[in-house]
Amino acid sequence: MSTAVLSAHEREERETQEQRAFGFWLYLMSDAVIFALLFATYAIMIPGTAGGPTGRELFDLGNAAVETALLLVSSMTFGFASLSARAGRSDGVLLWLGITFLLGLGFVVLEVREFAGLIAQGAGPDRSGFLSAFFTLVGTHGVHVSMGLLWILVMAAQVKAKGLTVPVVARLLRLGLFWHFLDIAWVGIFSIVYLPGLV
């Protein structure tokens, strides 16, 4: 009897996790659509400088390259956290989540510093349509990374408090998908926004 009840509970838990995973994929797809629209808007607004500075005059490829390196390495360290979770090592998960958090925080600090520098030069989002589209696209990505950092903190607290239970590992998996998605979006930003602006 108890086995039958436990099996029913396990089935219910599995269905719940599958529904949440499906819902999360829908969220990621909607996010992908948002970024696609922002990329398209940016591409259309590139000529709209209104006599102001262009990307060639403003963008610092070195800064963008460091940001890219931080985010790509953070994706790798998150992968190590996932491997630790698969091995049932909560201490390893916490270690790699902590390193991922620091790398992501470094990315956000560099991005905020870049935005502050542009605004100090009079190249804020209100200067032209081009800069408005730039700040919207890159800023939206930065907000997503910031939310990812908060999520990492929440996940670390859950791993610490609850251990690597099935729901915690499932949430860790979804966070991993979100973090890797941000990496892909940033590679697009680096390739479409920063590199062409310097050619």
Side-chain angles (χ1 to χ4, degrees):
M1 178 68 180
S2 61
T3 302
V5 171
L6 183 61
S7 297
H9 174 73
E10 287 176 343
R11 282 198 299 275
E12 183 180 349
E13 179 68 28
R14 179 177 299 177
E15 289 174 1
T16 300
Q17 294 302 328
E18 288 175 351
Q19 290 170 359
R20 288 176 179 170
F22 178 69
F24 189 73
W25 276 110
L26 289 179
Y27 161 73
L28 277 185
M29 286 190 287
S30 67
D31 239 10
V33 171
I34 289 172
F35 274 104
L37 292 173
L38 292 177
F39 275 118
T41 302
Y42 176 81
I44 292 171
M45 296 305 294
I46 287 176
T49 59
T54 64
R56 182 194 296 269
E57 297 167 316
L58 293 172
F59 297 156
D60 178 0
L61 185 59
N63 186 74
V66 173
E67 288 177 286
T68 303
L70 287 173
L71 215 51
L72 291 179
V73 173
S74 76
S75 193
M76 182 178 67
T77 57
F78 200 103
F80 289 140
S82 299
L83 291 175
S84 295
R86 182 174 295 181
R89 294 181 51 244
S90 59
D91 56 339
V93 174
L94 292 173
L95 172 66
W96 289 114
L97 283 182
I99 295 173
T100 303
F101 178 87
L102 292 176
L103 291 168
L105 182 62
F107 172 88
V108 171
V109 169
L110 287 179
E111 189 162 279
V112 170
R113 190 182 69 171
E114 179 189 25
F115 281 8
L118 291 174
I119 293 172
Q121 297 175 49
D126 57 340
R127 177 63 184 83
S128 64
F130 161 67
L131 285 169
S132 179
F134 166 77
F135 275 91
T136 302
L137 172 59
V138 180
T140 298
H141 180 271
V143 169
H144 276 69
V145 174
S146 300
M147 293 299 104
L149 292 177
L150 289 176
W151 194 354
I152 288 175
L153 291 178
V154 171
M155 281 308 310
Q158 289 190 1
V159 171
K160 184 74 174 176
K162 301 179 180 179
L164 295 172
T165 61
V166 172
V168 169
V169 172
R171 284 192 283 272
L172 187 66
L173 174 64
R174 291 195 286 274
L175 173 57
L177 291 173
F178 179 72
W179 198 257
H180 298 314
F181 169 77
L182 295 181
D183 274 1
I184 295 171
W186 178 257
V187 169
I189 290 173
F190 183 76
S191 303
I192 295 174
V193 174
Y194 288 100
L195 285 180
L198 297 172
V199 174

